Amino acid sequence: LGPLMMAGVVMVFGAGLSFVGFILGIIGLFMKNTKKLFAILGTILNGLPIVLVLFLMIIGLTMQASM
């Protein structure tokens, strides 16, 4: 595999792990009789990259549409 393809595979793998961590954080928030500190931290830390990627995609689409 070329270096660019490998970088793409790593980015997709990281996005998948972030999505799984976000879902597990949400599941942890709804569990009863447990401390929710790590569930809150996991949801926030795994949700930030998802929000950032969506924000960058919106910026890219609007810049492309304005050309």
Side-chain angles (χ1 to χ4, degrees):
L1 296 175
L4 289 177
M5 184 181 283
M6 194 63 180
V9 169
V10 168
M11 289 174 67
V12 169
F13 184 70
L17 284 178
S18 180
F19 185 70
V20 169
F22 183 71
I23 297 299
L24 289 174
I26 291 174
I27 290 171
L29 289 174
F30 286 104
M31 291 177 63
K32 295 183 193 262
N33 301 327
T34 59
K35 294 183 181 178
K36 307 227 184 305
L37 175 67
F38 289 115
I40 292 169
L41 289 174
T43 303
I44 292 171
L45 292 177
N46 286 303
L48 283 176
I50 296 170
V51 170
L52 180 65
V53 167
L54 290 175
F55 179 69
L56 290 175
M57 286 176 66
I58 290 170
I59 288 175
L61 289 172
T62 55
M63 289 182 69
Q64 183 181 8
S66 67
M67 292 181 143

